[in-house]
Amino acid sequence: AGWPVAPGEVAAGDLLFFTTTGPGATHVGIAIGDGTFVHSPSGRGRVRTDRLDATYWAARYLGARRVAAASGS
């Protein structure tokens, strides 16, 4: 769902997709602005922020999508 977002156009609220444990999108985060995103890197219930340009995440970045909120909500 949503629309693809160019790397230089990522904005707060965009979904960021990464390949971490296998081929294809296996991890997702939410952009929060200034090149950072929020995500839960493990199943332990901890949430943290990281930089999209960090070596680990930049190498695994697949792309971003923007999903518009439904009108009337």
Side-chain angles (χ1 to χ4, degrees):
W3 301 268
V5 178
E9 300 296 320
V10 171
D14 290 342
L15 300 178
L16 308 174
F17 296 92
F18 303 89
T19 182
T20 57
T21 61
T26 57
H27 188 71
V28 66
I30 303 170
I32 56 174
D34 294 325
T36 60
F37 66 101
V38 63
H39 66 117
S40 180
S42 73
R44 295 185 203 121
R46 295 198 171 115
V47 174
R48 72 179 201 205
T49 61
D50 277 303
R51 292 204 48 85
L52 184 54
D53 60 3
T55 303
Y56 180 87
W57 295 110
R60 291 163 175 79
Y61 180 72
L62 295 175
R65 307 275 301 175
R66 185 164 297 151
V67 181
S71 61
S73 312

